[in-house]
Amino acid sequence: MNKYTNSFHERSHALADSLILEHYSLSELNFETVGHYRERFARVKPGHPWNGLETKEFLYKIGAWGKLRDSSKEGLTLAGLLMFSEERIITEVLPQYFLEYREHVDGEAAGWTKRFTSQDGTWSGNIYDFYFRVLAELERHVWPDEGRALLGEALANAIVHADYGEEGGITVEKEDRSFRFANPGRFRIPIEAAMAGHTSNLRNPNIFKMFLLIDVCKRAGSGLKRMCDMQEQALACPIDISQQTNPDRTIVVLCPLPFPAEMSPTMETEPAGQLEQLEPEWMDPGSGQETESFITNELSFVSIDTNSVNNEENSVNITKNSVNSGSNSIKNEPNSVNRTSNSINKELEFVNSLLSSVNNDIRMHDSNEKGETIDERLWKMAELARRKKRLAPAVMEQLIVRLCRERPLRLKELAELLERTPDGLRNNYLGKLLEEGKIRLKYPDQPNHPRQAYIAVDE
């Protein structure tokens, strides 16, 4: 272990990434990366005075270059090395440094269908290029914009909070419908405090600052809180956060809405007549909520009845809300699916998927009446609880509220969905959620009603 690695660990509770590497000069940088950063900085802050600075002074301003006040020595900071250098040079200072992305496509044979690492020699291997390279891969798999933003947030969170002196490196995995972000190091504050967003204890403040300056990160301490806030619209199940020891690692698992196979960005264009056949998985039909139409970027609402898509008042074909009416028509000239050789323009993808999802079989489970199977969407939403028998209480509570927001659920139904005992759910979660006003009883005046069910309370 060299002297810089020792210094890094000695400063683990200080501003470690501000460590000045006095023998590492500008020649150690990948100037293509530096140029890309400066171009993005100029786009985000076109009138900023730093745009006119020379390279060294610019790097000093953003925290990538340091100067020792008690001497004339200067050099790259550890943050500058990680952001803008190359893997071979970075590992001279941090031998454990490693970055990896890999993905496995549903239905494929065992093994990874795509993989790259900081060691493969085809790119710089620094954390700045890793962020944008991985982000481009992640955005191919999810929709709508909320899901993409969430993955970008999780990726930046792993990079900013990683302990680069620990083993394991940063790994990002796409497998089936989940995305797994793992980084070395544990939270420096309790998870509950981090998720609340009121406390900040950054491990790498200079790396955070550099990403903040180009709008990749937001204010300090808000990352996990913002991720949890976005999950309502972008996730099919709550965020799963876990920590490990020996070596210390933090793991975040997300399940955003995937691009349906029929709507993949790499797909062949479909004839207009096949639009109504697109039925994406995990689509949330809105449960009676008004949904913003993206055809004209204005509020054009489609009211959806969960029991009948052709209900007289709420039918998606009703004249007032028809997808073929007036300015919102699918065949409206500016947005026509026949425009440019039958191409499906992006504004239509979301709406057509939404309308198609209304035709999904919304079968609700009621063990005492019709004996119907549990709604497939609810079953998928609860998959995390069935897969992991020990969930953080906050995660389980979020999941219960999310399920009860879809429709009133009886205790027996929740127990079946989550694979937990009714008594355990009642004693450990439901009573607390009722007290906090996050859920309510369907029959509040008759607690022992034979058809009693739990309903989420809108905030």
Side-chain angles (χ1 to χ4, degrees):
M1 185 178 290
N2 61 43
K3 68 174 183 177
Y4 291 122
T5 306
N6 279 320
S7 297
F8 183 86
H9 284 289
E10 288 167 4
R11 294 164 59 90
S12 61
H13 297 292
L15 305 183
D17 71 343
S18 65
L19 176 68
I20 297 172
L21 310 173
E22 58 186 272
H23 299 297
Y24 286 77
S25 65
L26 295 182
S27 63
E28 318 293 349
L29 300 180
N30 181 301
F31 281 93
E32 186 175 344
T33 303
V34 175
H36 186 280
Y37 182 93
R38 296 202 68 169
E39 288 173 5
R40 184 177 177 92
F41 182 92
R43 288 198 304 272
V44 172
K45 296 174 168 39
H48 202 286
W50 294 355
N51 286 320
L53 297 177
E54 295 293 329
T55 299
K56 182 186 288 188
E57 194 61 23
F58 177 82
L59 294 175
Y60 176 75
K61 294 290 189 182
I62 67 173
W65 186 263
K67 301 174 183 179
L68 294 171
R69 295 297 179 187
D70 56 352
S71 69
S72 60
K73 295 178 180 179
E74 54 186 301
L76 288 174
T77 62
L78 190 66
L81 186 82
L82 287 162
M83 283 286 283
F84 301 122
S85 190
E86 297 188 353
E87 186 270 344
R88 180 66 183 87
I89 300 170
I90 295 171
T91 53
E92 291 178 3
V93 179
L94 298 168
Q96 309 292 350
Y97 175 82
F98 182 70
L99 309 173
E100 180 180 25
Y101 172 81
R102 58 198 187 198
E103 64 182 58
H104 177 76
V105 179
D106 298 2
E108 296 288 337
W112 301 104
T113 58
K114 176 169 290 189
R115 181 178 184 263
F116 60 82
T117 76
S118 53
Q119 299 177 344
D120 62 32
T122 60
W123 58 293
S124 67
N126 60 51
I127 59 176
Y128 177 83
D129 290 340
F130 182 70
Y131 174 83
F132 285 100
R133 184 165 182 166
V134 171
L135 187 64
E137 296 293 339
L138 297 177
E139 289 182 341
R140 294 190 302 105
H141 297 291
V142 300
W143 70 300
D145 289 342
E146 290 86 349
R148 300 179 184 184
L150 187 60
L151 292 180
E153 189 79 47
L155 176 59
N157 193 70
I159 292 173
V160 166
H161 292 288
D163 183 346
Y164 292 97
E166 287 285 350
E167 298 178 2
I170 297 175
T171 60
V172 180
E173 301 177 30
K174 190 273 177 184
E175 185 172 6
D176 296 331
R177 295 184 177 90
S178 67
F179 297 82
R180 183 179 184 271
F181 301 81
N183 62 267
R186 293 162 58 87
F187 284 109
R188 292 155 65 97
I189 58 176
I191 292 181
E192 293 76 12
M195 294 179 74
H198 302 311
T199 307
S200 173
N201 192 337
L202 293 170
R203 178 173 277 116
N204 299 297
N206 283 287
I207 293 174
F208 173 80
K209 175 185 176 181
M210 285 184 258
F211 277 122
L212 179 69
L213 288 169
I214 56 173
D215 281 358
V216 166
C217 294
K218 304 299 179 185
R219 68 177 177 84
S222 66
L224 279 179
K225 174 66 163 59
R226 194 161 52 253
M227 286 165 60
C228 291
D229 289 344
M230 286 191 288
Q231 68 94 15
E232 279 294 319
Q233 293 182 341
L235 293 184
C237 59
I239 298 171
D240 181 22
I241 302 173
S242 60
Q243 299 189 86
Q244 298 177 354
T245 56
N246 298 320
D248 289 350
R249 287 184 75 72
T250 298
I251 300 167
V252 176
V253 179
L254 308 176
C255 304
L257 290 172
F259 259 113
E262 300 91 336
M263 292 178 59
S264 168
T266 58
M267 74 175 211
E268 299 294 329
T269 56
E270 294 286 341
Q274 296 183 17
L275 277 176
E276 65 272 18
Q277 298 177 17
L278 302 182
E279 295 185 3
E281 293 184 271
W282 290 19
M283 193 59 224
D284 186 346
S287 300
Q289 301 295 320
E290 293 177 325
T291 307
E292 183 177 359
S293 168
F294 285 83
I295 294 180
T296 62
N297 253 350
E298 297 176 359
L299 294 178
S300 305
F301 295 108
V302 180
S303 180
I304 302 171
D305 186 303
T306 58
N307 295 313
S308 173
V309 299
N310 290 314
N311 180 278
E312 184 174 353
E313 292 184 359
N314 296 315
S315 171
V316 294
N317 293 315
I318 191 168
T319 303
K320 180 178 178 180
N321 294 315
S322 173
V323 295
N324 293 316
S325 72
S327 61
N328 295 320
S329 174
I330 289 180
K331 296 185 179 296
N332 181 266
E333 184 176 348
N335 296 313
S336 173
V337 295
N338 294 313
R339 184 175 129 197
T340 322
S341 303
N342 293 325
S343 65
I344 303 174
N345 63 64
K346 291 182 179 179
E347 290 82 1
L348 291 173
E349 290 182 345
F350 185 86
V351 172
N352 280 290
S353 301
L354 176 64
L355 297 176
S356 297
S357 70
V358 179
N359 294 318
N360 286 342
D361 181 18
I362 305 178
R363 296 165 300 186
M364 299 303 180
H365 175 68
D366 188 327
S367 59
N368 285 345
E369 289 187 355
K370 300 180 181 179
E372 295 173 337
T373 59
I374 294 177
D375 172 68
E376 185 179 13
R377 182 158 51 86
L378 291 174
W379 188 256
K380 289 177 180 177
M381 287 169 59
E383 180 181 355
L384 179 64
R386 296 192 302 276
R387 181 160 42 90
K388 295 192 66 173
K389 294 305 179 185
R390 296 188 64 182
L391 279 182
V395 174
M396 178 64 87
E397 289 170 9
Q398 286 182 7
L399 182 50
I400 291 171
V401 172
R402 182 71 189 273
L403 290 168
C404 293
R405 183 169 288 123
E406 297 300 308
R407 69 175 179 90
L409 288 172
R410 299 167 66 188
L411 179 59
K412 184 176 181 180
E413 292 175 307
L414 281 169
E416 185 175 352
L417 284 166
L418 301 168
E419 286 189 359
R420 298 295 193 274
T421 64
D423 286 343
L425 286 176
R426 184 190 297 109
N427 297 332
N428 297 327
Y429 302 106
L430 298 176
K432 179 174 180 287
L433 291 172
L434 286 168
E435 289 180 4
E436 293 175 348
K438 294 181 180 179
I439 61 174
R440 63 179 176 84
L441 295 176
K442 184 176 181 180
Y443 304 100
D445 298 329
Q446 304 176 60
N448 297 320
H449 193 287
R451 302 284 300 155
Q452 189 63 270
Y454 298 90
I455 302 173
V457 176
D458 293 332
E459 297 180 357

